[in-house]
Structures are given as C-alpha cells and as structure tokens.
Amino acid sequence: MTRFCGGCGAPRPSAEQRFCAECGTPFDAAAPAAIGVPAPPAPSPAPATPTYATTSAPAPWAPGAGTARPSYDYAEPARLADRSGEPRAKSPVGKIIGVGALVAAVAAGGLVGWQVLGSGGGAETPEAAVQGFVTALVEQDAVAALALVNPGEAAGLDDVYASASDRLRDRGIVGGDRITDALDVSVSGLEFEVHEQGQDVARIELVDGDYTVAYDPAAVPDSLSFVADEEPDPREWSGDIVDDIGWELPHATVDGEHPEPFLSAVRVDGGWYVSLVGTYVDYLYTEVAYWEEWDVSSPDFDAASEEVEPIVGETPEDVVGNLVDAVNSGDVEDLLANLPEDQVRVLRPYARTLQGVLREEGVGFDISVDGLDLETEERGDQVVVTVDRAEVSAGVRSDGSEDWGAASIDGSCLTGTEEDGDQETVCLDQEVPDYLGLDSLRFVLTKTDGGYQVDPLATAIDYATTIIDEAPDSAIDSAIDEICYGAIYEERCYA
Amino acid sequence: MAAVLDSARPAVMLLWCTAGACWVTQLFVPWTTRGTLSSASMLDAVRLVRSDSVDAVVPGWAAAVLLALPAIGLLVGGSVGLAGPVAEGGRIALTLIAVALWVLAFVGLADSDVGRLGFGGWLTAGGAVAAGAAVTCRHVGRKGASGAGAPTRQEIDR
C-alpha cells in the first residue's frame, strides 16, 4: 500500500482510501518514488475506462458481510482525481513553497515579536528623530509625534490631548482626527545639521526647507466661521521655513542675521527622541549666552549620560522635606536628583552652569515648611497630594541683601506675611473653581525606587486636564470670541 | 484534470503567501496619507500603546487588535503547506477577519476616504485581493476537476 499520494505528497489516512482527498490522484496509480515506498506496477496504456481497483484494494463491501463498512472521504468529491489512470510525476514545487512559506512565517514572526517586545522605540539617529517629528507635526499625526518625543516628557500628554480634543469636538471646533482640515501644510527639502553635544544629547539645526500652506475656507469649522468670512477665497502660500522661523527667535539680530531653528534630541535606551524640555532649555541658554547677561559656563552635556542615585521620600512629607533641603543646600544637582530621572536628565548638563550663575550672583535660599497637613489620593503609580495646611517661610539672599516672606496655606486660602509684618489673604473664590475647576493646591508624586518623588510634568498635566475638563462651555466660547476679535477687530464677534 | 489542480496548487499557495506577506508588511509602513498613522506605522502605534503613553486615547487591548492583522498574515502565509478542508477553511475564515479589520481601519483611520489610504492601507487591501484570488483559483480548479468527471460517490464506494 502506498502511504503517500504520488501527486501531491499528502498522507494516505487509511488503506481503504483509494483517492487522495487533497488532489484526487488514485493512491496506487502514481508511485511516490521519492518517499521510499515501492513503486507501483506500470500503468496499462491509456485504458478506455478508468480502472480504480488495484491489487491492494479491499474487496467491495456488502451489507451483511460481517465486516464494518469502510469509511471514505465523501466531503470533497470535487477534489477527487483525474480518471485517466496515467501516472503523474510528483511535483516538489508545492512542498518547496509550503516549507519555504513556513520558514519565512517563523522568521517574520520572530521579527515582529522582536520589534514589538524586544526592540526599543525612537529613531536610529538624532536627525531621523527630528525629521520624523517635524513630518508628524506637519501631517498632524499625533501618534507619530508622540512616538518620537522623549518618553519621560510624553507621559501624560495623551491625557491633555484627549481632554482637549473631546472639548473642542463637543464645541464643533474640530472634526475627525485632524486638528483642522482647513489648512493643509506640506514641507519639502528639509535639511538638517547635527551637532553632537554629548554622548546622548544632540542639537539638530534646520538649515534648509520650504513649506506650502493651502487654505480651504470650506473646511473651516462653523464655530470659526469668522475666519472664512474674513478670508472667503481658497489660497496657497509658501516660504522658507528657516527664514520664517529664524526671524521669530528671540536672539535674531537686527543686522540681517538670524539663528537657525533647532530641536534637541536625547538618546534613551538606544533610541533617539526629540526632547521638548531640552529644546526649551537650550534656547534659554543660547539666549542668555548670546546677550552675555551673565558669565555662563558651557553646559556639560555628558552629564546627561551619568547614572545618578535618585533621592526619594517614603512619605509625601519626606518628599517635601527632601526638596526643601536640596533648595537650601544650593546644590542644583541634588535638586534634580529629587525629580524623576527621565524628565530632568536633559536638564543635568545645565545644572553646573546654573550653579555657577547662582554662586556668581551670591544667591542662596533659606526655606522652611512646617505644619504640613496633606491629603493623598492613589492614582495608579502616582499619588495626588492636596495641601490642606502648611506654614512656609522663605528667605532669599542675593549679593548681600536678603528678602524674607512667609505664607500660610489653609484650604483654598493663602495668607502672605511680608518682612514688615503686613499680611494679605488671597482665597480661591467661587469663580475660580467654577471656571477652572481648581479649588486647592495640589501636586503629584510618582512612585520610584521604593519611594516617592515630586513629578512636575504629571502635576502640570493634572492642572491642565482639570482646567480643560472643568471649564464651562461659556469659557470656551468667550475664548473664541476673543480670538475672533483679535483677528478681525469687529464687535460682531461678541454677538 | 489532476494536471489542472497540480498546476493551480503552486499558484494558489503563492497567492496565500502574497496575502500573508502583505498583512505582515503593513505593520511596518504608514497606513494613511494624512492624519493619524500617516507618518507612523502600526508598529509605532503598538509600541506606544504598550508603553502606556497613549492610554488616555487608546486602550491597552488595542495593541492586540493592531497586531491581529500581521498575526493573521503569519498564520495564512505559514500554513500554505497544509492541505485539507480544515486548513483551507481556516485560511478563509482568517481572511474574512482580515477584511473586517481592514474595513474598521479604513473607517477609523482614513475616514472612509480612499484618497487617505496610504501604503499600509493599500497593502492590506492587496492582501485581501490576493487571498480572494487564491480562494477563487482553488474553487475554479475543483470545478474543473469535477466537471471533467471525478469519480462519483458510488464509484468510490465500489
């Protein structure tokens, strides 16, 4: 009995089955020479009537014969074979394709798994990170933009994005997933110059590139119809990105020169990301250094690659105490060690620069915080801390002079005491909670290394999402009215 | 007619392979031409979802949905060597799921606008076309074999 089909190589499930269920070839008509079973007898020359019985075929079954009826595969009669009875040479192509496809699928599965589980994100080069980020912004692709932002800085931005887009969609200002379809921006010829500032930090300057903006008044949302009224015709304009952004930079000069716009990139876990915080601080430093306000030392960009032992607190009160100690010590690096590493890493190069400026100016702090009464609320791996009561006194020394002040926080009221003893109390009146949803002073802690640290980004995001979520519709409408008036200077904006 | 089936089988297998390759490859390229996933790939989206960076916008289980299409591609492509009604039925069922996922992505990402379909979107559609062609070829091959006089049930019983 042949154990495999001579036509396609499919296995023969039982001796009773005479035709291959896969390709229909009679099992005993074509010999599977390549699989080590005896060759079948030579076929008879082109029989007029196909012969299905072979010497190995069982005797026909008859009812009452005392044997069980043999089972056959009736499921796919159309697949049953050609009836010529001629032996067909076995084709290995199917097997080759099948095995090749299986190997390719296993390899591709490994690649996908590695890309998803093992490989980190980010871009391979700082230039690719910036180019991808700029393209994502132009294309209004929030996923691509977020994927290229330093993860420590991007955490929580999705909360703000979700809150803002929900509110704006509710008010009919945006539709779909694009910020607006009325402006279609495209860029071309982007060229960058990479300045490797340190092992894991780079500044990427945009040295060339053009942009085109196409305006379609028909796509302007109804709530911004004043824009379409003011600009009723479609138009398109273009320009040089480097010039148009460069002239807007703070340290552009009046003698016909402007700096090249740039973004900072940082390497995290092998991948390069755009650092928005790093970019801001780099601009700030460049500005200060340009105008030579202080004799600032150059940043030590390799400090961003150093391993730093985080300073954590076991309780929210400890965290506040650690921060106060760091500020009083005047050690900027200590202060940064109290904050989440992935957020402040890009600031560390400037720590010594800032410390030098503080020393040169003779600046020092003497802060104390007493009578803390804090309320905590767990939120995943974060803790939202509300300050119910606190007594704060702060002294600032600078070039021999010293200023002192104190503040007492009690719920939503803050009482300030000046050096001469004058006191003033400011409370969040009902309008502020109603309008902004803010009714207390609070900050967010992040769990890290068995303790807690103040998370400035999470705190800012907490305030931002609260304001966006809680602001009444009238506040958004008022803001649009202001934008309208600012754009067209007409009273009808307030109608 | 076995010759018809013989010659059709490699072509059918290659069509299934093409479909599988398309559904895997779409993971690595931008899916749309404008808006979300116009400059990022599905893989970038999966990484973002897994990193919880977009958990306010996209739930965590979305990563599994985004990976379903390439997983289907791997199963369909890797199983072309398997014959029989179960394997073939499985491939057809997976194809139907892939088409459903494509429709969801087409509506959700491209706003049902063909002009917004990017390379990834077209690749996925191409994979569905290849899978459809594979099913059609197989069906035509069977009909050809059947029409040429495949043995009847009674003949087999004999």
Side-chain angles (χ1 to χ4, degrees), chain A residues 14-311:
Chain A
S14 66
E16 286 79 16
Q17 187 152 337
R18 293 157 57 196
F19 299 96
C20 173
E22 175 55 27
C23 69
T25 304
F27 273 118
D28 297 310
I35 50 179
V37 294
S44 57
T49 305
T51 303
Y52 295 103
T54 68
T55 52
S56 62
W61 176 80
T67 56
R69 181 189 175 111
S71 66
Y72 298 115
D73 179 10
Y74 301 123
E76 300 287 345
R79 266 189 292 169
L80 296 179
D82 94 62
R83 307 169 74 183
S84 67
E86 290 180 16
R88 286 181 284 124
K90 185 189 163 207
S91 165
V93 176
K95 267 190 179 173
I96 293 171
I97 294 174
V99 172
L102 183 61
V103 171
V106 170
L111 175 70
V112 170
W114 175 69
Q115 287 288 325
V116 172
L117 301 172
S119 167
E124 288 187 3
T125 63
E127 186 179 350
V130 169
Q131 177 137 24
F133 182 71
V134 171
T135 307
L137 290 184
V138 168
E139 298 286 347
Q140 298 182 19
D141 185 350
V143 169
L146 274 174
L148 288 169
V149 173
N150 178 11
E153 299 169 33
L157 289 181
D158 59 315
D159 291 306
V160 179
Y161 176 82
S163 297
S165 46
D166 282 352
R167 291 307 302 272
L168 294 177
R169 193 171 288 117
D170 287 348
R171 302 305 297 160
I173 296 170
V174 296
D177 66 350
R178 303 193 75 201
I179 295 167
T180 172
D181 286 324
L183 293 176
D184 190 6
V185 185
S186 59
V187 294
S188 60
L190 292 181
E191 280 182 31
F192 299 95
E193 212 168 84
V194 179
H195 300 271
E196 290 186 9
Q197 296 171 306
Q199 198 181 329
D200 296 319
V201 184
R203 176 198 279 192
I204 297 88
E205 289 182 353
L206 178 62
V207 293
D208 200 7
D210 299 307
Y211 69 89
T212 304
V213 181
Y215 165 70
D216 176 11
V220 173
D222 290 344
S223 54
L224 300 177
S225 58
F226 58 87
V227 176
D229 293 344
E230 190 69 10
E231 294 281 349
D233 300 317
R235 54 183 287 225
E236 188 175 296
W237 64 95
S238 56
D240 185 301
I241 300 178
V242 179
D243 279 347
D244 287 3
I245 298 179
W247 285 119
E248 297 299 322
L249 294 178
H251 49 289
T253 61
V254 289
D255 53 4
E257 282 184 20
H258 63 73
E260 255 106 30
F262 65 83
L263 285 169
S264 293
V266 59
R267 183 158 50 188
V268 179
D269 294 333
W272 284 93
Y273 297 87
V274 169
S275 170
L276 302 177
V277 175
T279 301
Y280 175 75
V281 178
D282 200 358
Y283 271 107
L284 204 61
Y285 167 77
T286 308
E287 176 77 359
V288 169
Y290 182 83
W291 294 111
E292 296 177 348
E293 287 179 30
W294 291 293
D295 182 18
V296 291
S297 59
S298 299
D300 174 16
F301 287 100
D302 283 331
S305 309
E306 290 171 4
E307 291 286 328
V308 174
E309 187 71 29
I311 298 174

Side-chain angles (χ1 to χ4, degrees), chain B residues 28-111:
Chain B
F28 299 95
V29 295
W31 227 87
T32 61
T33 53
R34 286 180 288 138
T36 302
L37 293 187
S38 59
S39 59
S41 65
M42 284 279 188
L43 179 64
D44 293 322
V46 170
R47 282 187 186 139
L48 266 185
V49 173
R50 287 195 69 250
S51 69
D52 293 335
S53 298
V54 289
D55 54 354
V57 189
V58 187
W61 51 261
V65 175
L66 295 173
L67 285 172
L69 204 47
I72 288 172
L74 292 173
L75 286 173
V76 164
S79 70
V80 293
L82 298 178
V86 173
E88 191 158 340
R91 280 194 288 270
I92 292 171
L94 289 172
T95 299
L96 293 176
I97 297 172
V99 170
L101 289 171
W102 182 85
V103 171
L104 281 177
F106 178 58
V107 174
L109 291 173
D111 281 346

Side-chain angles (χ1 to χ4, degrees), chain A residues 10 13 18 48 81 86 107 122 202 210 242 325 337 355 360 382 410 426 440 451:
Chain A
R18 293 157 57 196
E86 290 180 16
D210 299 307
V242 179
D325 289 346
Q355 199 147 346
E360 187 185 333
Q382 293 179 333
D410 186 359
V426 180
S440 60

